[in-house]
Amino acid sequence: MIHSPAFQGLAMSTLSVSLSGYTDLPAGKIASIVTYLEMHERPEARSADRPDLSLQRVTDPEPHAYRALFRRIGADWLWFGRLEISDEALTEILRKPGNEIYQVIRAGEPVGLLELDFADPSDVELSYFGLVPEMLGGGAGRWLMNQALDLVWSRPQTLRFWVHTCTADSQKAVGFYRSSGFSAYKRAIEIADDPRLSGLLPEDVAPHVPLIGG
């Protein structure tokens, strides 16, 4: 589905990237074009009737349960940033002041993730956003975005709501965000070690990003 950060940052002191033309990457590296998007006021709501879904805040997030849902949602999009850190480091991130984590619940089971960073109440980040593969389509993504917009823009301090997504994500991601009221304002190149080679993710996930090296 859709998410924001797919990769952890990587120092590029040993790699010269050409801003015109091609740059060869060593085997085992993956590169992504990151698009940053933002909105400065609440857009008009788009209808999405999903009475089978509910949103539940996770007030005491537990690393193992969080990672299990994170993997189900993000494996095909190469989400791995929350998989390569220790339980202690992940717990600190999840419970930091201003971080709010929500699960989409269907028939009593978690099927989606919404994570919002209110560390700066005026400048809110959509950190993670996604659904398990079997929930894609049928308006579930639109429904979840409506919940996010309600949570963010119901707070009078909000002046900006932003997100970033990348080319390892669904090809529909940028279009979805733009149709939700976000506008693109910046691009970046992000390079990382392929998480499939280290065993963080299975080698057969994300076939749209060929596995090279190992």
Side-chain angles (χ1 to χ4, degrees):
M1 183 58 183
I2 301 158
H3 71 294
S4 57
F7 306 126
Q8 295 292 305
L10 178 74
M12 297 178 62
S13 58
T14 59
L15 178 65
S16 177
V17 177
S18 172
L19 296 183
S20 179
Y22 297 93
T23 297
D24 289 337
L25 294 180
K29 295 291 185 181
I30 48 177
S32 178
I33 303 300
V34 182
T35 300
Y36 293 77
L37 305 101
E38 64 183 355
M39 62 172 68
H40 293 272
E41 60 183 9
R42 179 169 185 158
E44 292 186 13
R46 297 181 64 191
S47 177
D49 186 21
R50 289 300 301 259
D52 58 321
L53 303 179
S54 62
L55 195 68
Q56 179 182 93
R57 184 171 179 183
V58 182
T59 56
D60 190 21
E62 192 278 322
H64 296 290
Y66 177 92
R67 283 198 182 99
L69 182 58
F70 186 93
R71 284 181 181 275
R72 288 180 62 199
I73 294 170
D76 277 339
W77 314 123
L78 294 183
W79 291 16
F80 70 89
R82 299 286 172 84
L83 303 179
E84 62 180 354
I85 57 177
S86 67
D87 286 354
E88 292 76 14
L90 178 57
T91 299
E92 183 176 354
I93 291 171
L94 298 180
R95 298 181 183 178
K96 72 177 182 179
N99 202 47
E100 297 188 8
I101 299 167
Y102 299 85
Q103 291 181 346
V104 179
I105 304 297
R106 183 173 183 266
E109 297 294 329
V111 294
L113 176 67
L114 171 64
E115 191 168 338
L116 299 166
D117 187 351
F118 289 95
D120 180 347
S122 68
D123 194 35
V124 183
E125 180 184 3
L126 177 55
S127 302
Y128 282 98
F129 179 100
L131 297 160
V132 298
E134 58 268 30
M135 289 299 299
L136 300 183
R142 177 61 50 203
W143 177 89
L144 182 54
M145 179 56 72
N146 286 347
Q147 309 309 304
L149 293 172
D150 285 344
L151 287 165
V152 171
W153 290 107
S154 64
R155 306 187 188 197
Q157 304 98 319
T158 303
L159 298 177
R160 177 177 179 255
F161 186 29
W162 68 278
V163 64
H164 66 277
T165 186
C166 72
T167 49
D169 203 351
S170 167
Q171 293 183 355
K172 298 179 180 179
V174 171
F176 175 85
Y177 284 129
R178 292 181 67 189
S179 70
S180 299
F182 291 91
S183 297
Y185 69 94
K186 185 175 75 170
R187 289 193 184 95
I189 300 171
E190 197 158 15
I191 300 172
D193 294 327
D194 193 320
R196 296 167 294 187
L197 293 175
S198 65
L200 285 175
L201 291 171
E203 291 188 2
D204 60 350
V205 301
H208 62 295
V209 182
L211 183 64
I212 301 173

